[in-house]
Amino acid sequence: MTWDPTATGVLRLPSGRLIRGRGLSRPLPSGPPPQFALYLLGRQPRPVDWEFQWVRWPDFRLPADPAAATEALRTAWRRAGTERVEVACAGGRGRTGTALACLAVLDGVPADEAVGYVRAHYSPHAVETPWQRRYVARFAPPPG
């Protein structure tokens, strides 16, 4: 079972993978819970009833460990092929949008077009800072 592709906050990647982006400061959306979540926060998130991975990523900044972030994004992208995957930060725009744009790159969207793709298909406010945009433009994970 995957996400409802018409639900708010659900991004459809070119491959058909569906990933829900959201802000953890908002109530949990209706519908089924994620099976796996990637949480992008400056401090460890509260426990939830599903499997998650935490990437230390301070608000308005970049991941503290870029290699760990790349591996976590790869994991989220792989799992989105068969599971309900959620990507979230506090507000659901900057860090979440940046991660979704990187997932779009993993899915085949050219890095220089990924921010525009996420803004068109997820939120026009996604990816908030110049350095987040630069992070996506330079996102070129090694094969694997």
Side-chain angles (χ1 to χ4, degrees):
M1 174 192 260
T2 62
W3 298 115
D4 173 356
T6 64
T8 301
V10 174
L11 173 68
R12 180 186 294 275
L13 294 172
S15 67
R17 284 175 166 83
L18 301 172
I19 299 175
R20 181 172 75 187
R22 77 175 179 105
L24 294 171
S25 61
R26 295 179 184 84
L28 185 66
S30 61
Q35 292 166 297
F36 175 76
L38 180 57
Y39 294 139
L40 316 166
L41 300 165
R43 64 172 61 168
Q44 190 163 357
R46 295 182 182 144
V48 291
D49 293 333
W50 46 85
E51 185 181 351
F52 74 92
Q53 186 171 354
W54 167 51
V55 171
R56 184 181 300 276
W57 192 329
D59 201 7
F60 296 107
R61 299 191 184 253
L62 299 176
D65 182 341
T70 296
E71 188 52 41
L73 289 163
R74 280 185 191 281
T75 297
W77 181 82
R78 277 193 301 270
R79 293 184 72 163
T82 58
E83 299 176 60
R84 289 184 309 275
V85 172
E86 170 177 271
V87 175
C89 64
R93 291 183 176 183
R95 293 168 285 182
T96 296
T98 302
L100 290 173
C102 291
L103 291 170
V105 171
L106 289 173
D107 206 63
V109 174
D112 62 346
E113 298 173 19
V115 171
Y117 182 88
V118 170
R119 287 179 173 169
H121 299 283
Y122 170 69
S123 168
H125 306 288
V127 191
E128 294 175 313
T129 68
W131 41 92
Q132 289 172 341
R133 288 191 297 278
R134 207 167 27 252
Y135 181 81
V136 174
R138 294 177 180 166
F139 186 75

